[in-house]
Amino acid sequence: MVFSSQLFLFYFLPTFLVGYFVLFKLGAKHSYLNLFITIFSYIFYGWLEPWLVFLMFGSTLVVYIAGKMISAEGASKRKRNLGLALAVGVNLGALGFFKYYMFGMGAINSVLVKLGCEPFSIMTVLLPVGISFYTFQSMSYAIDVWRGTAPPVKNFATFACYVALFPQLVAGPIVRYNTVAVELERRKHSLKNFVRGITFFCFGFAEKIFLANQVGSIADRVFAADAPGVINSWWGALAYMFQIYFDFSAYSNMAIGLGLMLGFHFPRNFNGPYRSRSITEFWKRWHISLTSWFRDYLYIALGGNRVSKPRLYFNLFMVMFVSGVWHGANWTFICWGLYHAFFMIVERANNKKTFYNAAPKVVQLVVTQVIVLFGWVLFRADTIGEAWRMWKTMLGLMPVSAFDSVLAAEIFTPTSVLFMVLATVCSFWGFRSYNWCIALKPYRVAVSLGIFVLAILALFTQSYNPFLYFQF
C-alpha cells in the first residue's frame, strides 16, 4: 500500500485515524494504542503480499531477543557480544539473501559460462518492500543498546510497534529507537501537532503528484528513447534529478506528518541538497537519516577521521561503497557509490575544499550539481553500458535518432516546461518544505489543504506511480 493511492487516502487512513482517536478519547493506555498501530501497520505492509509480515515479524523477534541478551542484568561481555552478533547477523543475512541472491548467482553463472561450465539453476527471489529500512532500523536498536546509548525496550509489543510504524516503514526516514523511546511509552496528542502533521502530509502529497510524478514522466520518456539528442538528454537527466528528490522528499514529509498526528517526532531527511557547493555538503543534506546511520555505525566504527590519511580515504571509500550496495543489487548502484566516493576523497584530500573552491559560489553550486546529475544518470540506468551511452549523448558524442524531434515535442509541452521550472525553483531557491511546514501558520495550513485538494483531483488522472525508494 502506498500513501498516494486511493486505497490509503480514502479507506485505510480515515479508518485508522478514527479508530485510534476513539481509543485515545476512551482513555486507552499507550500500550493499547501501540498495539492498534502495530495491527494496522501489519495490514498496511502485508496488503499485497501477506507473507512479508512474517519476515518482518521474525526480524523483530530476533532483534528483541538479542536486545534482551545484551541488556540482561549481569550479562557477560561474551553474551552481550553474542546478542549483538545475532541481531546484526540475522538482519544482514536476510537483507543479503533477499536483495543480492539473484545478483550474486547471476554473476557466478556468467563466470561459469565463460569458463565453459554448466551454470547453476537460480530460483526467483522477490525483494520484500522496505527491507533495507526496517533491518537497518532494527540493527540500530541492538547496536545502541550494546553501546549504552539507548534504553532497552520494556516489552515485545512496544518494540514491534517501533519496527512496524507504518508512516516510515517502507521508505524511511530511518528512525532510531532512542529518538522515539519516550514517545512509545508516553506521548502527547495535541491539536497543534495534529494540524502541523496534516500540513506536512498535504504538502508532501502535492510534491509527489505535482512535481515528482510530472517530471518523472519526462525522465521515463528520455531514458527509454534509443538515441535522444543533447538537449533532450540533458532535459531528461534533469527531470530524473528532480524526480528522485521530490519523490523521496514527498514521502519523508508525508511520513513526518503522519508521525506528528500520532504524537511522534521523526527526524528531518532533506535540507536543500541541490543548494550544496560540494559533494561532502550534498551528503550532509541528502537522505540525512541514512547518511547519519552510516556515519555513526560504519564510518566512526572504522575510525572516522581520527586516522591516517590513507585510512581516512579507505573509510570514505567503504562508506560510499556500502551505500551503493545498500541501494540495490546492480553494478550501477555500486559504481554510483564509488563515483561519489571518488569526489569525496578528492575533496577531503584538499582539506574539504573542492578543486573549484576559488570560483564564485554560484559556479561551485553549478559544478557540484552537474557532478550529482551525472551520478543520477548512473543511478537511473539499468546497466553501466546504458549510463555510458547517456553520458556520451549528453556530451554530444553519440548519433541522434531521426525521431528526436518527436521526443522533443513530447517532453517540451507547455505543461512539462511549467513543472520543470517549478521543480527548478523549489530545488535551487532557499525554500525548504520542512521549514515551511514546521512553522505552523494559518495561511500555510490553508495553502497545504488547497494544493492537497488539487492534488487529489490530479491523482484520478494519473497512472499508478509508486515511490522510487520502495525498490530499495
Side-chain angles (χ1 to χ4, degrees):
M1 197 180 302
V2 296
F3 293 164
S4 56
S5 67
Q6 297 176 35
L7 175 63
F8 179 83
L9 291 170
F10 301 121
Y11 299 97
F12 179 90
L13 186 58
T15 303
F16 169 78
L17 289 177
V18 169
Y20 181 87
F21 283 102
V22 165
L23 287 176
F24 173 71
K25 287 297 183 181
L26 291 176
K29 295 180 179 179
H30 276 84
S31 57
Y32 291 108
L33 294 177
N34 289 345
L35 178 61
F36 186 81
I37 292 174
T38 305
I39 292 171
F40 268 77
S41 294
Y42 273 83
I43 294 172
F44 172 86
Y45 187 65
W47 185 259
L48 295 179
E49 293 288 348
W51 71 271
L52 293 179
V53 301
F54 296 102
L55 178 63
M56 184 171 67
F57 179 83
S59 170
T60 304
L61 181 61
V62 168
V63 176
Y64 174 75
I65 293 172
K68 286 294 184 182
M69 293 172 61
I70 295 169
S71 61
E73 187 176 349
S76 65
K77 182 178 179 180
R78 181 177 179 277
K79 185 176 181 180
R80 285 168 48 81
N81 290 343
L82 182 62
L84 178 63
L86 176 65
V88 174
V90 167
N91 276 281
L92 287 183
L95 183 61
F97 174 76
F98 285 101
K99 202 161 189 176
Y100 308 111
Y101 165 79
M102 295 183 66
F103 172 74
M105 291 302 298
I108 291 172
N109 279 347
S110 65
V111 173
L112 290 176
V113 170
K114 290 180 180 179
L115 295 175
C117 302
E118 187 71 20
F120 294 107
S121 58
I122 303 176
M123 62 178 177
T124 301
V125 176
L126 299 178
L127 176 64
V129 173
I131 189 171
S132 296
F133 289 93
Y134 74 72
T135 52
F136 266 39
Q137 192 158 294
S138 297
M139 284 191 294
S140 72
Y141 165 76
I143 296 170
D144 286 345
V145 172
W146 182 81
R147 289 177 172 177
T149 57
V153 69
K154 293 182 179 179
N155 54 68
F156 179 73
T158 301
F159 187 66
C161 179
Y162 159 68
V163 176
L165 273 171
F166 75 86
Q168 46 73 235
L169 173 61
V170 294
I174 299 173
V175 178
R176 303 187 198 182
Y177 179 73
N178 55 13
T179 64
V180 293
V182 174
E183 292 174 341
L184 282 166
E185 298 292 338
R186 55 185 186 280
R187 57 187 175 274
K188 296 180 180 179
H189 299 84
S190 67
L191 178 61
K192 186 176 181 179
N193 263 348
F194 190 85
V195 174
R196 183 179 282 117
I198 290 175
T199 304
F200 266 102
F201 184 87
C202 291
F203 197 90
F205 184 81
E207 277 187 281
K208 170 64 176 172
I209 300 299
F210 288 134
L211 292 177
N213 286 3
Q214 294 292 340
V215 298
S217 63
I218 299 172
D220 289 344
R221 286 188 175 94
V222 173
F223 278 87
D226 291 332
V230 175
I231 295 177
N232 288 349
S233 60
W234 275 91
W235 191 249
L238 279 169
Y240 182 71
M241 181 180 182
F242 294 141
Q243 180 193 12
I244 195 166
Y245 171 46
F246 287 110
D247 191 274
F248 198 14
S249 173
Y251 187 94
S252 295
N253 282 334
M254 295 168 80
I256 290 170
L258 289 169
L260 285 170
M261 293 180 201
L262 306 179
F264 293 102
H265 292 78
F266 297 154
R268 182 177 191 165
N269 217 21
F270 291 92
N271 186 17
Y274 292 155
R275 288 175 57 84
S276 304
R277 301 203 304 269
S278 70
I279 297 301
T280 301
E281 183 184 358
F282 172 80
W283 279 104
K284 291 179 180 179
R285 294 169 174 264
W286 176 272
H287 202 344
I288 299 170
S289 63
L290 179 65
T291 302
S292 62
W293 199 101
F294 280 125
R295 179 196 64 207
D296 294 342
Y297 301 117
L298 181 59
Y299 181 69
I300 292 177
L302 291 172
N305 55 8
R306 298 181 178 181
V307 292
S308 64
K309 278 198 172 183
R311 180 57 187 267
L312 171 62
Y313 303 152
F314 172 78
N315 293 349
L316 291 171
F317 167 85
M318 283 301 300
V319 168
M320 296 313 302
F321 169 74
V322 174
S323 176
V325 171
W326 179 88
H327 276 86
N330 194 319
W331 289 112
T332 54
F333 295 121
I334 295 173
C335 291
W336 171 78
L338 299 179
Y339 173 89
H340 278 271
F342 169 78
F343 288 102
M344 291 185 73
I345 291 172
V346 169
E347 291 176 3
R348 192 58 65 95
N350 289 279
N351 296 319
K352 294 186 179 181
K353 294 181 179 180
T354 60
F355 49 85
Y356 43 87
N357 197 63
K361 291 181 179 180
V362 66
V363 174
Q364 295 177 43
L365 186 147
V366 171
V367 173
T368 298
Q369 300 319 314
V370 169
I371 293 171
V372 171
L373 176 67
F374 274 76
W376 285 136
V377 170
L378 181 58
F379 192 90
R380 172 64 170 76
D382 292 327
T383 65
I384 301 296
E386 286 185 14
W388 181 248
R389 285 192 294 274
M390 187 66 171
W391 283 344
K392 290 173 67 177
T393 298
M394 293 169 69
L395 297 175
L397 302 177
M398 290 289 288
V400 180
S401 169
F403 296 98
D404 190 54
S405 58
V406 176
L407 175 63
E410 293 178 344
I411 64 176
F412 281 99
T413 64
T415 302
S416 298
V417 172
L418 173 64
F419 284 113
M420 284 289 284
V421 170
L422 183 59
T424 302
V425 171
C426 291
S427 296
F428 297 106
W429 181 35
F431 176 80
R432 304 281 191 279
S433 59
Y434 182 92
N435 295 345
W436 197 85
C437 294
I438 201 71
L440 191 63
K441 295 182 179 180
Y443 81 90
R444 295 185 179 183
V445 177
V447 169
S448 297
L449 289 172
I451 60 176
F452 175 72
V453 172
L454 294 176
I456 288 288
L457 296 175
L459 175 66
F460 292 105
T461 67
Q462 294 183 0
S463 59
Y464 178 70
N465 189 358
F467 291 91
L468 294 179
Y469 260 73
F470 275 27
Q471 63 184 297
F472 308 128

